[in-house]
Amino acid sequence: MAVYALTGFSLVSLLSFGYLSWDWMKPSLVADVATDPMEKSLPPTFTRPPHIIFILTDDQGYHDVGYHGSDIQTPTLDRLAAEGVKLENYYIQPICTPSRSQLITGRYQIHTGLQHSIIRPRQPNCLPLDQVTLPQKLQEAGYSTHMVGKWHLGFYKKECLPTRRGFDTFLGSLTGNVDYYTYDNCDGPGVCGYDLHEGEDVAWDQSGKYSTFLYAQRVSKILASHSPKEPIFIYVAFQAVHTPLQSPKEYIYRYRSMGNVARRKYAAMVTCMDEAVKNITWALKKYGYYDNSVIVFSTDNGGQTFSGGSNWPLRGRKGTYWEGGVRGIGFVHSPLIKRKRRTSWALVHITDWYPTLVSLARGNLSNVQGLDGYNVWPAISEGKESPRTEILHNIDPLYNHAKYGSLEDGFGIWNTAVQASIRVGEWKLLTGDPGYSDWIPPQTLTNFPGSWWNLERLTDGLRKSVWLFNITADPYERYDLSEQRPDVVRTLLMRLVHYNRTAIPVRYPAENPRAHPDFNGGAWGPWASEDEGEDWEGGREPLKGRNKKKKCKICKLRSFFRKLNTRLMSNRI
């Protein structure tokens, strides 16, 4: 039996705040909303392919939506989810690039070579060019395809860019995180550049506009200029609510009574994003798309707890394979759903959107081999059983091996030092180092001393390399059953062995000095020629002493390009 220690607060104190009384099945949080039985018996019919709006938020914690009992105001998300289908057995990946790659390809990251970490700005790496992407399949089905927001799937050469991977238009950032106003991104000391792009060009003229508003406005503009008679796919990958914690002051003011500063700023960003979704929904209705639309909402990974996010009552955080890292907020809102206003416990994974959306679009999947996703629309729309029975969360052979793992601990069939996790039916297995393992209540306290987010900590198990949980009965991962059920452990290890045999080599090349923004006019962007191989690692070194005056150099470059852009625009006018 695990031993738990509470630091800073007693168990009684937590109960008094209501933190440990959150009921997984509490009706007011996740249960069905009453509906007219006639609504279920008279569903709308598909007369033409639906318009598809896929909204992905960044680092939004499982607890950080109103209908999960949050102290953060999300009235739009709450309403859309209540009128649609809430996905309460929905899984994503623990960090950015893996979730996005699996959404776009319908494949586990072991099948794209992206099973380790993220794609770094200076790496000659991107989503494999041999993969047929979701937007490409939708283009084949006659869709107009648009992306707005964060790409984070590589850009070292032009073939990797969103406009070369199936999107007709693109406005957004290529790297993992940028300033919400200036769009600057630093990948280490002195390695800084501008990252906002319109198509394949740098969008210098958009600097100063808050990204959440900018992206919502772009979606509205796309809808206004397109005909609702023609199918459209818009992938809205909000930067929010990833760090840096930035929000317009009026949103922060709403949470002025929230003691913790990080949580206050984070809450403001979530509410701002919620209003952006409201504006997008309004535009769908205004321009005649809504009645034939499907809106999918998903987070990309668990919340980052030391940056204001909360995954309570789940265990762990972003970057871990505990439920707090991989169980996401998800729902589908559409007039086309046959059984609306309910909660679905069907097992769904982010890879499932590829076949699901292509099928909705009446696209052709017969020529796509090796998908790991399933068409889950019948489970979502009609309440049928999910075709998915298991999820490979990941196998990462490059992650730091657990000190106490061994092949012997894995029955001679699996080295338990390797970081891996799998869900089969109601069982979940973790091996190696799954990541930070605490349960972290919402950060609402002022000036909490030291590691203020660690309110409940597991004090044993530090010498372990295998964990087993019955996730259906124990969704918070409090009772490790690996010693009581070695038979189940062995069965799931065999499934890891099976998947590992299908894995391709990890794509994680060394950083390339030619990627430095100074070599690209002060902006992040492609640096390799189209005929260079994906394993190219050569290149010219940065100039000597460049780091000493980096900031000034970049400012001068940006000023030059902005002035040049202004003159060009003036000439056009």
Side-chain angles (χ1 to χ4, degrees), residues 178-212:
V178 299
D179 186 283
Y180 281 73
Y181 292 96
T182 67
Y183 300 97
D184 294 334
N185 178 28
C186 293
D187 185 42
V191 188
C192 302
Y194 184 83
D195 183 17
L196 184 65
H197 295 75
E198 174 90 55
E200 297 181 7
D201 299 321
V202 182
W204 297 104
D205 59 317
Q206 301 293 344
S207 179
K209 300 177 182 178
Y210 188 66
S211 73
T212 304

Side-chain angles (χ1 to χ4, degrees), residues 552-569:
C552 182
K553 178 76 172 179
I554 288 176
C555 291
K556 289 179 180 178
L557 285 168
R558 286 184 188 155
S559 177
F560 170 79
F561 279 97
R562 284 169 182 159
K563 289 178 181 178
L564 177 62
N565 180 74
T566 301
R567 290 178 182 176
L568 291 174
M569 292 299 292

Side-chain angles (χ1 to χ4, degrees), residues 362-376:
R362 301 174 184 174
N364 180 17
L365 287 170
S366 63
N367 59 350
V368 181
Q369 304 298 320
L371 288 180
D372 293 307
Y374 295 85
N375 179 5
V376 293

